[in-house]
Amino acid sequence: MFKRLAIGLGLAILFLVPPLMGSEALTVAVFEIDASPPIGTPLAYDPTTAVESPLSLRGLVLKGQGSPIVLCTLDWIGLSNGCLQSFRQALAEAAGTTAERVAVHALHQHDAPRCDFTTDALLAQHGISQEFSDTAFAKDVELRAARAVRESLKQAQPISHLGLGQA
């Protein structure tokens, strides 16, 4: 799963480096948080009963000429509609950029959390809550991710070379 992420990020950097370089140095800041659901959180198939393998949210912020670009992966089944918009906006604000320059990708292929604030709001109108997703948990992950982005910017490193490999 993360092999594909590394290849994708490597290719993104390869194509983004020349236009981002300009007169400013290109830097990268990396961030990561635990995105594991608490016991009882609805997953795609059943509520969480245990966390055997922790889930994570990981990403990087590329800064150079122009506004920063945020690339983020989340070990969940999906982020849709209002949830995706909210995550992109929160990460954009934390990185000092716009939501259009933030990409958030869900990577989990089996039972894991999903998030859709729009669906949750529609279901709540019919008395259904906490069955599709856990909005409070998702908002907590979003807030912690934004905090991690802000903190990562303090540790940004210059990019001087691009290395690609395969194992």
Side-chain angles (χ1 to χ4, degrees):
M1 164 173 29
F2 286 106
K3 177 181 173 186
R4 283 181 274 157
L5 168 65
I7 291 169
L9 291 177
L11 290 173
I13 291 170
L14 180 65
F15 289 105
L16 292 171
V17 167
L20 284 173
M21 287 297 281
S23 60
E24 297 181 42
L26 180 64
T27 63
V28 64
V30 296
F31 58 93
E32 177 179 358
I33 64 164
D34 186 312
S36 303
I39 303 303
T41 298
L43 303 178
Y45 308 112
D46 292 305
T48 307
T49 57
V51 176
E52 295 176 14
S53 298
L55 305 180
S56 65
L57 178 144
R58 302 174 189 212
L60 56 87
V61 180
L62 293 169
K63 289 182 74 174
Q65 185 177 7
S67 298
I69 294 173
V70 180
L71 303 173
C72 177
T73 61
L74 181 55
D75 199 16
W76 288 0
I77 284 185
L79 291 90
S80 305
N81 300 314
C83 184
L84 179 59
Q85 293 169 358
S86 184
F87 265 72
R88 288 178 67 206
Q89 186 62 43
L91 297 178
E93 289 173 8
T97 192
T98 62
E100 292 78 22
R101 296 178 69 86
V102 176
V104 180
H105 301 277
L107 302 174
H108 210 89
Q109 293 83 29
H110 51 88
D111 206 17
R114 59 187 169 209
C115 177
D116 185 340
F117 298 150
T118 308
T119 298
D120 287 340
L122 290 170
L123 290 172
Q125 293 174 6
H126 299 281
I128 301 169
S129 64
Q130 296 289 81
E131 290 183 32
F132 180 78
S133 64
D134 184 338
T135 298
F137 163 62
K139 279 291 191 185
D140 176 63
V141 170
E142 178 185 291
L143 290 172
R144 290 187 292 115
R147 187 177 317 123
V149 166
R150 279 190 296 279
E151 289 299 313
S152 76
L153 295 173
K154 298 174 185 175
Q155 306 295 322
Q157 298 290 313
I159 297 176
S160 60
H161 295 79
L162 174 65
L164 299 174
Q166 185 174 345

